[in-house]
Amino acid sequence: MSTQHGRPGEAVEAGRREPAPHPDGADDSGIRDTGIRDIVVRAGGAALVALERLAGGFGTALLALLTLVWLAGTVVAAPVGIGLLMAPLALRLLHAVADRERGRLNRWGPELAGPGPAPTRLRAALTDPTTRRELNWLVRHATLGLLLGLIGVMLPLCAVRDSTFPLYWQLLPEGASSASIGLGVARGWPDAAAVALLGLGWTAIIMGLTPGMARLQARAGRRLLSAGPDADLSLRIAELTATRAAALDAHATELRRIERSLHDGTQNRLVTVTVLLGAARRMVARDPAGAEELLERAHSSAEQALAELRSVARGILPPVLTDRGLEGALTGLAASCPVPCRIDVEAPERRAASIEATAYFVVAEALTNVAKHSRAERATVTVRGGGGRLRLHISDNGRGGADENGGSGLVGIRRRIAALDGTLTVASPPGGPTTLKVELPCGS
């Protein structure tokens, strides 16, 4: 079921939005133009991020190729004994390149849990599962990863070269090829314009294919360079220890927030009520009108204190989450969000209270960030349940550039999710859009 909420005057309907008539009778061409522009900006931002990832992958793929050549030379020279001397250095190169790729992938997505120190002695490496996985990755990244990275580096060069060809084609020597792929010779302006159209085609390919290419290039690393099921249990213990510490920090932060809200807000209101009631009691005999005014002010302060108490209580665990479930609670969040927000929930089964509360607070913090920082015109929250996991997808069409270290609340969100052994993926290229993908394990 999906619902949509926004500011007054917007037509809201389950699953779709009917555009409200413009007050001055203008058509919706401006809205369509804005939508197209948003799509182009989002596609362009995603393509730029993908190109940067492909270029980084191209660098590690070159290192992987050199390491693969060194390993091949080590194997060839092994029968004569030289390979045995080369093996420790080859293994150290293998582990160093794999660590470099892990660091690169960690900058762009969920953190890879490294497998820990890998052996550099030949006998131990032959039976080490981590070394075998790294060798498997090395071959794939030095071939397919290198090819994808090379394409990612060459496509922008071809696009710029061909798109600007009409500006310099007359300066080229006689018989020089016109297109970047080495086909044809420009003999007039029509040929130059055709090459410029080819440049636009390269640009379309960049915007359409490079995000998928970047994901394909990173797939082998994410699958083979993480700690496998046969990894040392001490790694898992260390991970759980860090997760527990983060959960305790998040809990302490939440307690400080509640204490600050009660101390700075509700307590001050109640003190004001007490003072006003005492003054009114002393004035009631000699100045009934003044006492009535003080009682009115005390009544107003008491109402404000009650509202603040309700707000604090909702921050601890919103009653609507218990009464109406996750969908009803998220609908209430969307209704109070200053940015028009569409809610789409398909999770018919109730989850554990901790899972639903975490999902609620993640969405609440994300929508708060959208309202404060994104300058977005709309946001979307999608929730899906199944396969023993609850998946959240939160996106907006704002300016992007969200930074976990910039005080945007993403650190708190990640800590809440990590406490439940969930995952958070943040994509927020400059220019937008910003997308948060959350997975929470909740049993079958």
Side-chain angles (χ1 to χ4, degrees):
M1 178 180 180
S2 63
T3 57
Q4 194 165 348
H5 300 270
R7 291 181 290 268
E10 291 183 319
V12 179
E13 186 172 312
R16 63 187 182 92
R17 171 184 290 183
E18 293 294 337
H22 198 278
D24 58 4
D27 59 21
D28 60 349
S29 60
I31 298 176
R32 289 197 300 269
D33 293 342
T34 302
I36 294 173
R37 184 167 60 251
D38 288 344
I39 293 173
V40 172
V41 170
R42 292 167 63 181
L48 289 175
V49 171
L51 288 174
E52 187 175 357
R53 297 184 185 182
L54 287 170
F58 180 63
T60 56
L62 287 176
L63 295 177
L65 179 61
L66 294 176
T67 305
L68 186 62
V69 171
W70 184 275
L71 285 170
T74 301
V75 172
V76 171
V80 297
I82 300 177
L84 299 178
L85 300 176
M86 299 170 59
L89 178 58
L91 290 172
R92 281 195 290 269
L93 283 175
L94 170 64
H95 302 323
V97 174
D99 287 338
R100 187 181 182 90
E101 179 68 2
R102 288 189 189 96
R104 184 184 76 89
L105 294 177
N106 286 340
R107 291 194 299 271
W108 299 112
E111 184 174 357
L112 290 176
T120 57
R121 293 182 178 274
L122 183 59
R123 185 182 299 275
L126 291 176
T127 58
D128 179 53
T130 296
T131 303
R132 290 198 298 268
R133 290 164 67 89
E134 289 182 350
L135 279 172
N136 191 353
W137 165 81
L138 189 75
V139 173
R140 296 179 183 217
H141 197 56
T143 52
L144 179 60
L146 181 65
L147 176 61
L148 292 172
L150 180 62
I151 295 174
V153 171
M154 294 302 298
L155 276 175
L157 299 179
C158 292
V160 173
R161 193 264 187 199
D162 290 348
S163 298
T164 59
F165 185 74
L167 301 178
Y168 63 85
W169 74 275
Q170 291 179 313
L171 303 177
L172 295 176
E174 187 70 24
S177 61
S178 55
S180 56
I181 55 178
L183 299 178
V185 176
R187 304 186 185 280
W189 285 106
D191 295 337
V195 176
L197 290 176
L198 179 61
L200 295 179
W202 293 129
T203 303
I205 291 174
I206 290 172
M207 298 180 69
L209 297 183
T210 51
M213 292 167 55
R215 290 192 295 269
L216 180 61
Q217 187 190 56
R219 183 178 300 168
R222 293 209 167 274
R223 187 165 61 88
L224 296 172
L225 296 183
S226 60
D230 47 2
D232 192 343
L233 287 179
S234 62
L235 296 173
R236 182 59 177 162
I237 294 173
E239 180 182 354
L240 291 175
T241 301
T243 300
R244 176 178 175 272
L248 291 175
D249 288 343
H251 179 66
T253 301
E254 189 67 16
L255 288 178
R256 285 194 298 271
R257 183 191 66 82
I258 295 172
E259 188 275 335
R260 190 166 53 248
S261 298
L262 292 174
H263 182 273
D264 298 342
T266 307
Q267 178 176 290
N268 289 340
R269 299 287 184 190
L270 293 177
V271 169
T272 301
V273 171
T274 303
V275 171
L276 291 174
L277 288 176
R281 186 180 62 180
R282 291 190 297 270
M283 293 177 60
V284 67
R286 67 176 186 273
D287 187 5
E292 179 69 21
E293 180 181 353
L294 291 178
L295 289 174
E296 182 66 27
R297 291 170 56 188
H299 182 264
S300 177
S301 296
E303 288 182 339
Q304 293 176 4
L306 181 59
E308 290 173 356
L309 276 176
R310 288 172 176 167
S311 177
V312 172
R314 285 196 299 268
I316 298 173
L317 185 63
V320 67
L321 196 58
T322 303
D323 299 337
R324 298 176 55 193
L326 185 59
E327 182 177 353
L330 296 185
T331 300
L333 282 178
S336 60
C337 181
V339 178
C341 181
R342 182 175 181 270
I343 300 292
D344 186 0
V345 180
E346 288 186 9
E349 297 181 1
R350 293 298 301 268
R351 309 291 173 173
S354 59
I355 298 295
E356 291 189 346
T358 299
Y360 175 87
F361 286 118
V362 165
V363 175
E365 184 65 31
L367 292 183
T368 299
N369 289 342
V370 170
K372 286 184 177 180
H373 309 294
S374 71
R375 300 180 186 173
E377 297 178 354
R378 59 181 177 275
T380 303
V381 177
T382 304
V383 181
R384 295 290 183 268
R389 304 186 77 81
L390 187 67
R391 298 173 179 84
L392 287 75
H393 187 280
I394 308 163
S395 63
D396 66 75
N397 65 339
R399 59 179 179 174
D403 182 10
E404 291 195 33
N405 299 320
S408 60
L410 290 175
V411 174
I413 291 177
R414 188 175 293 279
R415 286 177 175 175
R416 281 186 179 273
I417 295 169
L420 296 176
D421 209 15
T423 60
L424 168 66
T425 303
V426 181
S428 184
T434 296
T435 302
L436 276 65
K437 294 182 180 179
V438 179
E439 285 198 11
L440 298 172
C442 48
S444 57

